[in-house]
Amino acid sequence: MTEPIKVLLADDQALVRGALAALLDLEPDLHVVAEVSDGTEVVAAAVQHHADVALLDVEMPGMDGVAAAAALRAALPACRVLMVTTFGRPGYLRRALAAGASGFVVKDTPARQLADAVRRVHSGLRVVDPALAADSLAYGDSPLTERETDVLRAARGGGTVADIAKALALSEGTVRNHLSSAIGKTAARTRAEAVRVAVENGWLLGDP
């Protein structure tokens, strides 16, 4: 009998992680061998348990899923990565595939389809949510520069210009200039709206 596919789950929400594990373990050819809640734990757990496929959430503490995917592919190339997330955003898809992920699906994917996605990426195929793939082609790459991305990422917490300047070791004038440019490029009216647009398109995830 063929050995079951060994699956690693990484998600910071315990209920979601538990539900995914329960659903996947119902499949006779799949076996969840490890569960982690922090992106920094992914590589060690995958190596320890000889995972065949890692299901990674995009947004996790310690290290986001895209960075974890890149680290895992470098440390354990035989382990395939399937991103499973509530954040079905075009920018996330592009960055995940660039980091070496073999697939990207949203968490409301029916259980049978999710299990099939695990099997497909394990066999070397690529699996991408069709709606997300279409959106990715429509939206294109981020128009923001590296520094504008840094400034908007720092602005997500709602701090003042002075707070952002201190965090990034920039002058307040420079921060204002980058914010103004980012607002223009995102066709926003306010800083908060620029952040929202950038987040929705996956432009603020991880390092530029």
Side-chain angles (χ1 to χ4, degrees):
M1 184 175 177
T2 305
E3 285 288 317
I5 298 169
K6 296 186 287 292
V7 179
L8 162 72
L9 295 180
D11 193 301
D12 62 331
Q13 298 182 44
L15 286 176
V16 172
R17 200 171 61 246
L20 286 174
L23 288 171
L24 293 176
D25 271 337
L26 290 174
E27 302 291 328
D29 59 334
L30 305 180
H31 177 46
V32 177
V33 294
E35 299 178 37
V36 300
S37 59
D38 188 301
T40 59
E41 301 171 346
V42 168
V43 171
V47 170
Q48 178 183 349
H49 296 279
H50 307 287
D52 297 312
V53 177
L55 273 67
L56 309 182
D57 186 21
V58 168
E59 294 198 343
M60 292 185 288
M63 178 186 292
D64 67 58
V66 173
L72 180 55
R73 292 294 291 160
L76 194 64
C79 183
R80 305 285 180 175
V81 176
L82 177 63
M83 307 299 297
V84 185
T85 182
T86 52
F87 300 98
R89 296 165 182 158
Y92 288 4
L93 168 60
R94 290 191 298 274
R95 301 183 93 148
L97 295 180
S102 298
F104 198 112
V105 296
V106 291
K107 285 182 181 174
D108 59 3
T109 299
R112 188 167 297 176
Q113 289 182 27
L114 180 59
D116 188 53
V118 172
R119 297 184 186 102
R120 286 167 65 84
V121 298
H122 179 252
S123 68
L125 299 175
R126 175 164 286 182
V127 179
V128 177
D129 180 89
L132 190 56
D135 286 346
S136 183
L137 291 173
Y139 280 96
D141 293 328
S142 171
L144 303 172
T145 66
E146 180 178 343
R147 187 55 80 185
E148 288 162 359
T149 301
D150 289 342
V151 169
L152 279 190
R153 191 181 293 124
R156 289 182 70 175
T160 65
V161 168
D163 293 333
I164 297 170
K166 184 178 181 181
L168 298 178
L170 298 172
S171 71
E172 293 184 23
T174 298
V175 168
R176 289 192 184 92
N177 288 339
H178 286 311
L179 284 173
S180 177
S181 179
I183 288 170
K185 288 180 179 180
T186 55
R189 290 169 295 180
T190 64
R191 181 179 79 180
E193 188 176 343
V195 169
R196 179 182 59 77
V197 170
V199 167
E200 288 178 352
N201 283 287
W203 296 336
L204 302 188
L205 181 67
D207 295 327

